[in-house]
Amino acid sequence: MKIVLPVVAVMIAAVAGYALYPYGTAYLLREALATKDHAELDRLIDFASVRDGLKRDLPALVRSELIRDTDGWFAQLGAVIALELSPELLARQIDSRITPARAVDLVIGPGAKSGAARSPEAIRAELDRQLRTLGFIGPMQFAIEFGEPSDPPDRWITLHLTIDGLTWRVTRLIPPGASRER
């Protein structure tokens, strides 16, 4: 009995720590975004994985939006051809724009609500205002969703965190309108 109680206490502490850890990471991410701490953002976000995911998501998203907004079959064909010719251009843009320096704009948009030069307090307030949900979506995955309160869920931005060793990191950014699968 003397050994069982400490073992049970350690197990409970480990499960509680595991369950609370991604919420702590979400808080650290919020603070790093607010203070524009590039080193901390680089630690919390796997930018290579985020870029790879966007390189998969954006062409299909752009294609569907462009084709939906284009009139006539000939215009749609032109839109498809233009998109097929420019995947490298899109990849270069993603590589140059998905950086720690631009991380705030990825989540809440450039100049959202508080002007171009935003204070840490204004960024925190905007992140808090746009936070829709956060929680586990699997044993090794956690999601944080941001969006305008009046927008439907498919218009929100979703950040997927996965556990990497002993650290939770953002590994995917799902833009509004993109498929939530994978």
Side-chain angles (χ1 to χ4, degrees):
M1 185 66 167
K2 289 181 181 181
I3 293 176
V4 172
L5 236 41
V7 169
V8 169
V10 167
M11 288 175 51
I12 290 172
V15 169
Y18 174 78
L20 295 175
Y21 189 15
Y23 291 96
T25 301
Y27 174 79
L28 292 174
L29 182 61
R30 174 183 171 258
E31 290 305 303
L33 288 167
T35 60
K36 299 178 182 163
D37 183 342
H38 297 174
E40 183 71 354
L41 289 169
D42 200 38
R43 188 181 73 75
L44 294 171
I45 301 171
D46 181 348
F47 281 96
S49 292
V50 169
R51 286 183 200 110
D52 287 346
L54 287 172
K55 287 174 188 175
R56 286 188 309 268
D57 291 339
L58 287 182
L61 183 62
V62 169
R63 183 177 295 114
S64 68
E65 291 287 328
L66 190 58
I67 290 172
R68 214 180 352 235
D69 294 342
T70 307
D71 292 331
W73 72 270
F74 191 72
Q76 289 178 358
L77 176 64
V80 169
I81 290 170
L83 286 169
E84 292 300 323
L85 293 175
S86 63
E88 294 83 22
L89 241 153
L90 182 61
R92 279 198 308 260
Q93 288 297 313
I94 289 170
D95 287 340
S96 68
R97 294 177 186 265
I98 309 303
T99 65
R102 293 186 167 170
V104 174
D105 294 340
L106 295 175
V107 178
I108 63 174
K113 296 289 181 201
S114 35
R118 294 173 282 185
S119 69
E121 295 76 24
I123 293 171
R124 280 185 199 97
E126 188 65 17
L127 289 168
D128 291 346
R129 187 186 74 75
Q130 288 193 13
L131 179 65
R132 303 278 59 92
T133 65
L134 73 160
F136 281 93
I137 55 174
M140 306 293 272
Q141 284 200 313
F142 191 84
I144 306 171
E145 295 181 310
F146 295 94
E148 291 297 327
S150 58
D151 286 346
D154 68 336
R155 302 305 305 167
W156 297 347
I157 291 171
T158 303
L159 302 178
H160 278 191
L161 285 75
T162 54
I163 195 156
D164 179 18
L166 294 176
T167 306
W168 285 92
R169 296 182 77 199
V170 175
T171 54
R172 184 154 185 245
L173 183 148
I174 304 172
S179 171
R180 300 295 192 228
E181 299 302 313
R182 269 193 227 137

